[in-house]
């Protein structure tokens, strides 16, 4: 039996960190083809193509500098070429690009391909909420699992110990992904509540923006702990409203839930940019351009998608923290008023 061919769709900070793991793991297993394609959005870096740098120097100098990628990871500039012949697709790119990308590749993917999404975000569809994995499932007619956890990319690339959660409704595929991605320092738990796992990954970024506001306003750790707790309560309430399958609070105790929420509220780019937003008079867009070296922020955009859904369902008052983050980022609500959403939270009534 030839090994399963893996393609990583995306090559930013997190995509490159995952490529490092996948590249090493496929070499050590006879279940996988030893060559891994990685789709790279082509950019010029000091007059050279990024793919050329990755394929000769084996380093993503823009998004994961200082880390060598395994030589069997090959940067491919055309996404259609990258996915050709792949049995397994690992999606790791900003959520706003996924629909268009799936349309591009759908006539080129192998029948029976399986996917895993590492994308943290949600989309707003005609019926309300659309999960990113649902978009991939529908467009590619493939089984799609998700991976979410307390996984700051640079720490994973440094091989510092962390945990993560795979949500897989198909247990056999969950095990394939566990074998592909687990290392001694990247420990994976597989659960069946795929939708809950994915929603945790999207919603925690909104809470992290709130945590960043607290830091920028100088509110201290007690206030930030309240933001984390109230944010978690809103995450659970939102999941119970919108997930098709069962939602148990046990899943929120996995890495994708409380652990990811904590790490994102203390580290991570959403917190960092939100802190700068509270301290300066610059817009989120300006700060993103200044501070993130071409990376995209997920928190503010997710708050906008969530706000539209809550408004449609007329339940805005049940989610004051989510709503407050949206109003501050997009509607000119003063950031100093953020504290009122904590003081007047329904949890305290």
């Amino acid at each position: 039996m030839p090994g399963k061919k893996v393609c990583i769709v995306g090559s930013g900070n997190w995509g490159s960190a995952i490529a490092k793991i996948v590249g090493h793991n496929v070499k050590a297993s006879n279940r996988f083809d030893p060559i891994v394609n990685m789709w790279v959005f082509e950019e010029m870096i000091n007059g050279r193509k990024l793919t050329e740098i990755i394929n000769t120097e084996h380093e993503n100098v823009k998004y994961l500098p200082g880390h060598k990628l395994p030589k069997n990871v090959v940067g491919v500039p055309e996404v259609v070429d990258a996915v050709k012949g792949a049995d397994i697709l690992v999606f790791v790119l900003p959520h706003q690009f996924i629909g268009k990308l799936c349309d591009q590749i759908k006539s080129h993917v192998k029948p029976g391909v399986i996917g895993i999404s590492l994308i943290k975000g949600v989309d707003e569809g005609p019926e309300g909420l659309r999960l990113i994995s649902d978009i991939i499932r529908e467009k590619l007619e493939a089984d799609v699992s998700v991976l979410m956890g307390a996984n700051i990319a640079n720490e994973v690339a440094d091989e510092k110990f962390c945990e993560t959660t795979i949500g897989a409704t198909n247990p056999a595929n969950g095990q394939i992904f566990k074998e592909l991605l687990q290392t001694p320092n990247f420990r994976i738990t597989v659960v069946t509540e795929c939708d809950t796992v994915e929603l945790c990954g999207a919603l925690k970024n909104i809470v992290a923006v709130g945590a960043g506001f607290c830091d920028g306003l100088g509110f201290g750790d007690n206030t930030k702990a309240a933001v984390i707790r109230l944010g978690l309560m809103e995450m659970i309430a939102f999941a119970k409203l919108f997930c098709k399958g069962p939602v148990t609070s046990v899943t929120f105790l996995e890495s994708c839930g409380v652990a990811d929420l904590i790490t994102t509220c203390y580290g991570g780019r959403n917190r960092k940019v939100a802190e700068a937003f509270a301290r300066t008079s610059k817009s989120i867009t300006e700060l993103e351009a200044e501070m993130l070296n071409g990376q995209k922020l997920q928190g503010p955009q997710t708050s906008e998608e969530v706000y539209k859904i809550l408004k449609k369902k007329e339940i805005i008052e049940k989610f004051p923290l989510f709503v407050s983050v949206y109003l501050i980022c997009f509607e000119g609500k003063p950031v100093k008023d953020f504290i009122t959403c904590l003081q007047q939270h329904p949890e305290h009534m």
Side-chain angles (χ1 to χ4, degrees):
M1 280 285 287
K4 293 180 184 299
K5 187 152 180 57
V6 182
C7 170
I8 299 168
V9 185
S11 57
N13 185 234
W14 187 210
S16 300
I18 282 296
K20 199 175 163 183
I21 290 176
V22 170
H24 286 302
N25 280 0
V26 296
K27 279 191 296 197
S29 160
N30 56 8
R31 280 205 37 179
F32 304 105
D33 185 302
I35 300 295
V36 175
N37 283 355
M38 175 170 76
W39 172 58
V40 177
F41 179 78
E42 192 69 280
E43 299 176 62
M44 297 304 287
I45 311 286
N46 300 327
R48 291 177 71 195
K49 290 178 173 171
L50 184 54
T51 47
E52 184 200 319
I53 298 170
I54 288 170
N55 292 334
T56 53
E57 288 159 36
H58 308 290
E59 183 182 345
N60 187 335
V61 290
K62 178 157 186 189
Y63 295 109
L64 195 68
H67 287 279
K68 284 291 175 207
L69 296 174
K71 291 190 168 72
N72 58 321
V73 173
V74 179
V76 181
E78 294 297 335
V79 70
V80 166
D81 298 335
V83 302
K84 222 169 249 151
D87 301 288
I88 296 172
L89 299 174
V90 180
F91 291 94
V92 51
L93 63 156
H95 78 278
Q96 50 271 46
F97 304 129
I98 195 68
K100 194 165 140 250
L101 182 120
C102 286
D103 289 337
Q104 269 176 285
I105 64 174
K106 81 171 146 213
S107 58
H108 301 272
V109 296
K110 209 168 165 177
V113 71
I114 61 171
I116 187 164
S117 170
L118 281 61
I119 299 169
K120 294 180 172 176
V122 288
D123 197 28
E124 191 220 351
E127 301 302 304
L129 182 83
R130 280 187 90 200
L131 294 172
I132 301 306
S133 65
D134 282 338
I135 296 174
I136 304 169
R137 269 183 210 108
E138 286 161 25
K139 288 187 182 284
L140 302 186
E141 296 173 16
D143 183 73
V144 181
S145 303
V146 299
L147 179 146
M148 306 281 153
N151 309 141
I152 287 173
N154 291 45
E155 294 184 17
V156 174
D158 285 334
E159 294 174 33
K160 293 176 175 164
F161 178 85
C162 69
E163 304 172 310
T164 199
T165 312
I166 286 178
T169 48
N170 178 319
N173 290 347
Q175 286 312 307
I176 290 173
F177 289 123
K178 184 170 181 169
E179 191 180 326
L180 177 66
L181 294 160
Q182 180 160 269
T183 74
N185 285 321
F186 190 65
R187 304 311 290 174
I188 294 173
T189 305
V190 182
V191 300
T192 53
E193 274 182 38
C194 199
D195 290 0
T196 310
V197 172
E198 185 169 0
L199 263 183
C200 283
L203 297 174
K204 55 100 199 189
N205 282 329
I206 306 178
V207 186
V209 173
F213 292 159
C214 282
D215 291 341
L217 295 163
F219 284 154
D221 284 340
N222 295 340
T223 313
K224 190 141 75 164
V227 168
I228 291 171
R229 190 189 76 82
L230 294 167
L232 182 62
M233 299 311 282
E234 291 192 16
M235 284 166 62
I236 294 171
F238 192 92
K240 286 185 170 161
L241 275 174
F242 290 98
C243 283
K244 297 179 287 290
V247 174
T248 56
S249 42
V250 174
T251 305
F252 290 89
L253 298 177
E254 293 292 347
S255 182
C256 61
V258 69
D260 196 8
L261 182 59
I262 291 167
T263 196
T264 312
C265 287
Y266 278 91
R269 61 186 94 148
N270 289 282
R271 189 217 63 79
K272 186 169 91 173
V273 173
E275 178 180 10
F277 178 85
R279 290 187 195 279
T280 67
S281 54
K282 292 176 179 173
S283 72
I284 292 280
T285 316
E286 282 175 277
L287 292 165
E288 185 181 57
E290 266 174 43
M291 298 172 71
L292 293 187
N293 183 31
Q295 290 173 280
K296 289 282 171 241
L297 264 196
Q298 301 291 322
Q301 196 173 350
T302 306
S303 79
E304 183 174 26
E305 277 136 11
V306 164
Y307 178 79
K308 287 178 190 161
I309 292 159
L310 296 174
K311 200 169 155 78
K312 214 176 264 176
K313 298 241 182 220
E314 298 180 355
I315 45 173
I316 278 177
E317 67 294 337
K318 290 195 168 75
F319 295 89
L321 193 147
F322 288 175
V323 168
S324 189
V325 167
Y326 163 74
L327 294 174
I328 290 166
C329 288
F330 294 101
E331 302 283 349
K333 178 178 167 153
V335 68
K336 63 178 187 345
D337 293 350
F338 179 64
I339 196 76
T340 57
C341 84
L342 307 178
Q343 293 164 330
Q344 295 164 6
H345 203 279
E347 279 273 304
H348 296 142
M349 296 307 175

